[in-house]
Amino acid sequence: MFCPVFMSNKYPLLNTIDYPSDLRKLDKSQLKQVCDELRLFIIDQLSCNPGHLASSLGAVELTVALHYVFDTPNDRIVWDVGHQAYGHKILTGRRGVFNTNRKFKGISGFPNPKESKYDSFISGHASNSVSAALGISVADEMQHNHHNVIAVIGDGAMTGGLAFEGLNNVCVHPNNLLIILNDNNMAIDKPVGGMSEYLMDITTSKYYNRLRFKTHHLLKKLGLMNDNKKNRFVRFANSIKNMVSGSSNIFEGLNIRYFGQLDGHDINQLVKVLNDIKNFEGPRVLHIKTIKGKGFAPAEQSATIWHAPGLFNPETGELIKSKDAENISLYQDVFGQTLLELARKNDKIVGITPAMPTGCSMNIMMTEMPDRVFDVGIAEGHAVTFSAGLAKEGMMPFCNIYSSFMQRAFDNLIHDVAIQKLNIVLCLDRAGLVGADGPTHHGAFDISYLRCIPNLIISAPLNEYELRNLLYTAQLPEKGPFVIRYPRGKGVGAEWKNQEMKEIPIGTGKMMKDGSKIAILSLGHIGNVAKDAILSFKNDADKFAWYDMRFVKPLDTKLLDEIAQKFKQIVTIEDGSLKGGFGSAVLEYYSDNSADVKVKRIGLPDKFIEHGSPDDLYKMLGMDKKGIYNALKALLR
Ligand SMILES: Cc1ncc(C[n+]2csc(CCOP(=O)(O)OP(=O)(O)O)c2C)c(N)n1
């Protein structure tokens, strides 16, 4: 692979900046060049080592301005989601290792305080920055340190409930929080909802903004904006501004001073305004307008594709598709296509996605049936409760949420769905290890945290066809809440397109292969790896029986009884946490029924798994073909 970055010295000024202290030595007039080189560096690097491109390109000027104006790491920056923080990583001691970004044993693709003191807080899941930065700022004030604390949050993440909760709380405690709203009018897909329309409105109303600015300056002159810690003055000033402009500002309504909007690519203006408002006390919002993918034409034009584009040619913008297993479908596409087919036949079916229509392929149904798919914004809890409301009135919602993001909606599922036993199909994409996104994104815990909830059916397909059949089964009448978890990436090449859909009886597993000594019970896609491990035994392969259990709840207890009759040694395999997972469920059943069997469990250990390719990670954990083979071999002995 041609990696331009290793061959040329295109970044003379950037190469002199190892840390923000180096940046701060530069003259303001040099900052534009820093931005240009930083942007080029990100494009070059990501062309041969994929990552989150468009968001980081859009945040280049903001990143340079923040590290130039503020005394980082003493002043703290909290990046929301963190996928826009590549520039931050490069300017804070990680330029030399940036080519290891997201790779196994390399630096993380998201800010992580374990990696650098410049990373103030963990990032990965959206909308936590306001709350986290508020906590940091309040702690800082309580300890009389008086540092600046800055939350950088996108317009997409600002739609998340957690961000609203944080905003609501911001004016209550003494703090010095600066919230930078990095508004590119994009999430991964187009942003949705009232907040995003509102931001468009305040953005486009120049008259309104000019008037507010003028009023603000007047109030400052009159001394009414000086004592910033005294909320009543801010509130008073805000109401005057609202009166004068004839329109209210949502942030000012919450008693947070609002500045904006500003061209987020004008480095000089950014530096000036940040310097201006840096020493104001009390909470402030600075609203900047940026372009997602700024400086790389293909990314500016198609920000969704270039959110995380994979390999590409930096000169032409051509995406380089992997030729590996081209004919094999992604699980998400099996979901998307099958959902559309089901929806064509059943007009009660609706799709719900919290801001991931492209990521989960619900955009397939969205294109044909825009009125029956609801993108609800980055709002997993709301997505589940909204689905519950739909189900209560007789609709058949398919709510698709990535496994790790589903963690946000735990109570919604218990309180709003499970207790009422509503007919909802909850599709958990990206279950198991997701790879380069790492611990914030691995779908490691869903089996454990769902298994304890009464009324749930929890299933995992072995392959594409089984996913199709589970989707079909789940929408049949009166099944109650039905979870289907499946991994990121490709299936195994099982025929599924245009295949007739068949009902799978709830709570039934299936013997895939008989054997004489050891029974292997797998849940979901990882069963294919178990099968390969068995087949590598060649002559001894007939010693292993293999069962695709399909459901972790309800368990196929009839099948478990039969297995216990025949085998003394049982092995469970799952791509989820061992603590409370599928293997635990099997153990509990055998223990409760005094079965005389030994159970060895293979699954994810009780720790956060780092980032890296799924192959590297499963190998590290002994869950690849060879690892499973070795575990089985030890048992055979
Ligand atoms: C809780 C949660 N849900 C969904 C996601 C997936 N996700 C990652 S980035 C993103 C869009 C963020 O949009 P915005 O905050 O506007 O940032 P931008 O990419 O536009 O810079 C989404 C939905 C996530 N990271 N966390």
Short mmCIF file of all heavy atoms in Angstrom, two decimals, residues 55 81 83 124-126 154-157 184 186-188 292 307 355-356 378 380 405 408 441, ligand 1:
data_model
loop_
_atom_site.label_atom_id
_atom_site.label_comp_id
_atom_site.label_asym_id
_atom_site.label_seq_id
_atom_site.Cartn_x
_atom_site.Cartn_y
_atom_site.Cartn_z
N SER A 55 -15.09 13.90 10.37
CA SER A 55 -15.28 14.70 11.59
C SER A 55 -13.97 15.36 12.02
O SER A 55 -13.95 16.52 12.44
CB SER A 55 -15.81 13.83 12.73
OG SER A 55 -16.92 13.11 12.31
N VAL A 81 -17.90 12.11 21.83
CA VAL A 81 -17.67 10.97 20.93
C VAL A 81 -16.18 10.73 20.75
O VAL A 81 -15.69 9.62 20.88
CB VAL A 81 -18.34 11.10 19.54
CG1 VAL A 81 -18.18 9.80 18.76
CG2 VAL A 81 -19.81 11.46 19.64
N HIS A 83 -14.38 11.03 18.01
CA HIS A 83 -13.96 10.65 16.65
C HIS A 83 -13.43 11.84 15.88
O HIS A 83 -12.89 11.68 14.80
CB HIS A 83 -15.15 10.02 15.92
CG HIS A 83 -16.33 10.93 15.79
ND1 HIS A 83 -16.70 11.82 16.77
CD2 HIS A 83 -17.20 11.12 14.79
CE1 HIS A 83 -17.76 12.50 16.37
NE2 HIS A 83 -18.09 12.08 15.17
N GLY A 124 -16.30 8.02 23.21
CA GLY A 124 -16.72 6.91 22.35
C GLY A 124 -18.23 6.93 22.17
O GLY A 124 -18.74 6.93 21.06
N HIS A 125 -18.93 7.00 23.30
CA HIS A 125 -20.39 7.10 23.24
C HIS A 125 -20.76 8.58 23.28
O HIS A 125 -20.20 9.35 24.05
CB HIS A 125 -21.03 6.37 24.42
CG HIS A 125 -21.00 4.88 24.25
ND1 HIS A 125 -21.89 4.05 24.88
CD2 HIS A 125 -20.21 4.07 23.50
CE1 HIS A 125 -21.64 2.79 24.53
NE2 HIS A 125 -20.62 2.79 23.70
N ALA A 126 -21.74 8.93 22.46
CA ALA A 126 -22.07 10.33 22.27
C ALA A 126 -22.76 10.96 23.47
O ALA A 126 -23.39 10.28 24.28
CB ALA A 126 -22.98 10.46 21.05
N GLY A 154 -20.74 17.95 19.07
CA GLY A 154 -21.31 18.16 17.74
C GLY A 154 -22.81 18.39 17.82
O GLY A 154 -23.45 18.11 18.84
N ASP A 155 -23.36 18.89 16.72
CA ASP A 155 -24.81 19.11 16.70
C ASP A 155 -25.57 17.79 16.81
O ASP A 155 -26.64 17.72 17.40
CB ASP A 155 -25.24 19.86 15.43
CG ASP A 155 -24.77 19.16 14.18
OD1 ASP A 155 -23.54 18.99 14.02
OD2 ASP A 155 -25.62 18.76 13.36
N GLY A 156 -24.96 16.71 16.29
CA GLY A 156 -25.59 15.39 16.40
C GLY A 156 -25.63 14.95 17.85
O GLY A 156 -26.69 14.59 18.39
N ALA A 157 -24.48 15.02 18.51
CA ALA A 157 -24.42 14.58 19.91
C ALA A 157 -25.27 15.46 20.80
O ALA A 157 -25.77 15.03 21.85
CB ALA A 157 -22.97 14.57 20.38
N ASN A 184 -21.96 21.08 12.28
CA ASN A 184 -21.73 20.88 10.83
C ASN A 184 -23.02 20.40 10.15
O ASN A 184 -22.98 19.93 9.02
CB ASN A 184 -20.57 19.90 10.59
CG ASN A 184 -20.76 18.58 11.32
OD1 ASN A 184 -21.88 18.21 11.66
ND2 ASN A 184 -19.67 17.87 11.58
N MET A 186 -24.56 17.79 10.47
CA MET A 186 -24.46 16.37 10.12
C MET A 186 -24.22 15.56 11.39
O MET A 186 -23.49 16.01 12.27
CB MET A 186 -23.26 16.09 9.20
CG MET A 186 -23.47 16.29 7.72
SD MET A 186 -24.81 15.31 7.03
CE MET A 186 -24.07 13.72 6.79
N ALA A 187 -24.84 14.40 11.48
CA ALA A 187 -24.36 13.39 12.43
C ALA A 187 -23.58 12.42 11.54
O ALA A 187 -22.75 12.88 10.76
CB ALA A 187 -25.53 12.74 13.14
N ILE A 188 -23.82 11.11 11.63
CA ILE A 188 -23.22 10.25 10.60
C ILE A 188 -24.09 10.41 9.35
O ILE A 188 -23.61 10.66 8.26
CB ILE A 188 -23.13 8.78 11.05
CG1 ILE A 188 -22.19 8.66 12.24
CG2 ILE A 188 -22.64 7.89 9.89
CD1 ILE A 188 -22.04 7.26 12.80
N LYS A 292 -18.33 19.29 7.65
CA LYS A 292 -17.80 17.95 7.88
C LYS A 292 -16.98 17.54 6.66
O LYS A 292 -17.43 17.69 5.53
CB LYS A 292 -18.96 16.98 8.12
CG LYS A 292 -18.52 15.65 8.69
CD LYS A 292 -19.64 14.97 9.46
CE LYS A 292 -19.18 13.58 9.90
NZ LYS A 292 -20.10 12.92 10.79
N HIS A 307 -17.44 9.44 6.69
CA HIS A 307 -17.37 9.48 8.16
C HIS A 307 -16.23 8.55 8.60
O HIS A 307 -15.37 8.93 9.39
CB HIS A 307 -18.71 9.03 8.75
CG HIS A 307 -18.74 9.04 10.25
ND1 HIS A 307 -18.94 10.19 10.98
CD2 HIS A 307 -18.58 8.04 11.15
CE1 HIS A 307 -18.89 9.90 12.27
NE2 HIS A 307 -18.68 8.61 12.40
N ALA A 355 -30.18 7.28 15.09
CA ALA A 355 -29.12 7.98 14.32
C ALA A 355 -28.18 7.06 13.54
O ALA A 355 -27.10 7.51 13.16
CB ALA A 355 -28.31 8.89 15.24
N MET A 356 -28.57 5.81 13.32
CA MET A 356 -27.67 4.93 12.59
C MET A 356 -28.34 4.27 11.37
O MET A 356 -28.13 3.07 11.13
CB MET A 356 -27.13 3.84 13.53
CG MET A 356 -26.42 4.34 14.77
SD MET A 356 -25.00 5.37 14.41
CE MET A 356 -23.80 4.12 14.06
N ILE A 378 -29.57 10.68 18.20
CA ILE A 378 -28.71 9.88 19.08
C ILE A 378 -29.42 9.76 20.43
O ILE A 378 -29.16 10.51 21.37
CB ILE A 378 -27.32 10.51 19.24
CG1 ILE A 378 -26.71 10.76 17.85
CG2 ILE A 378 -26.41 9.60 20.06
CD1 ILE A 378 -25.34 11.40 17.90
N GLU A 380 -30.83 6.50 22.36
CA GLU A 380 -31.16 5.08 22.44
C GLU A 380 -32.32 4.81 23.40
O GLU A 380 -33.21 4.00 23.11
CB GLU A 380 -29.92 4.28 22.86
CG GLU A 380 -28.86 4.15 21.77
CD GLU A 380 -28.02 5.40 21.56
OE1 GLU A 380 -28.06 6.31 22.43
OE2 GLU A 380 -27.30 5.50 20.55
N PHE A 405 -24.27 0.58 22.35
CA PHE A 405 -25.10 1.77 22.57
C PHE A 405 -26.40 1.42 23.31
O PHE A 405 -27.02 2.26 23.95
CB PHE A 405 -25.42 2.49 21.26
CG PHE A 405 -24.20 2.90 20.47
CD1 PHE A 405 -24.22 2.96 19.08
CD2 PHE A 405 -23.02 3.24 21.12
CE1 PHE A 405 -23.10 3.34 18.36
CE2 PHE A 405 -21.88 3.61 20.41
CZ PHE A 405 -21.92 3.66 19.02
N ARG A 408 -27.21 2.23 26.97
CA ARG A 408 -27.86 3.48 27.37
C ARG A 408 -29.36 3.28 27.66
O ARG A 408 -29.98 4.12 28.30
CB ARG A 408 -27.74 4.51 26.23
CG ARG A 408 -26.39 5.14 26.08
CD ARG A 408 -26.30 6.40 26.93
NE ARG A 408 -24.94 6.89 27.03
CZ ARG A 408 -24.44 7.83 26.24
NH1 ARG A 408 -25.19 8.36 25.29
NH2 ARG A 408 -23.20 8.23 26.40
N HIS A 441 -16.83 0.43 22.27
CA HIS A 441 -17.77 0.00 21.23
C HIS A 441 -17.99 -1.52 21.17
O HIS A 441 -18.89 -1.97 20.46
CB HIS A 441 -17.28 0.47 19.86
CG HIS A 441 -17.52 1.94 19.61
ND1 HIS A 441 -16.96 2.92 20.39
CD2 HIS A 441 -18.27 2.59 18.68
CE1 HIS A 441 -17.34 4.12 19.95
NE2 HIS A 441 -18.14 3.94 18.90
C1 LIG B 1 -24.53 6.69 22.36
C2 LIG B 1 -24.04 6.69 20.94
N1 LIG B 1 -24.91 6.44 19.94
C3 LIG B 1 -24.48 6.43 18.66
C4 LIG B 1 -23.17 6.66 18.37
C5 LIG B 1 -22.68 6.54 16.94
N2 LIG B 1 -22.19 7.83 16.44
C6 LIG B 1 -20.89 8.12 16.39
S1 LIG B 1 -20.60 9.62 15.80
C7 LIG B 1 -22.22 9.93 15.57
C8 LIG B 1 -22.66 11.22 15.01
C9 LIG B 1 -22.15 12.37 15.79
O1 LIG B 1 -22.55 13.55 15.20
P1 LIG B 1 -21.96 14.92 15.70
O2 LIG B 1 -21.97 14.94 17.18
O3 LIG B 1 -22.69 16.00 15.01
O4 LIG B 1 -20.44 14.87 15.27
P2 LIG B 1 -19.82 14.97 13.78
O5 LIG B 1 -19.50 13.57 13.38
O6 LIG B 1 -20.83 15.59 12.90
O7 LIG B 1 -18.61 15.78 13.95
C10 LIG B 1 -22.98 8.82 15.95
C11 LIG B 1 -24.44 8.73 15.84
C12 LIG B 1 -22.30 6.91 19.45
N3 LIG B 1 -20.99 7.11 19.24
N4 LIG B 1 -22.75 6.91 20.69
#
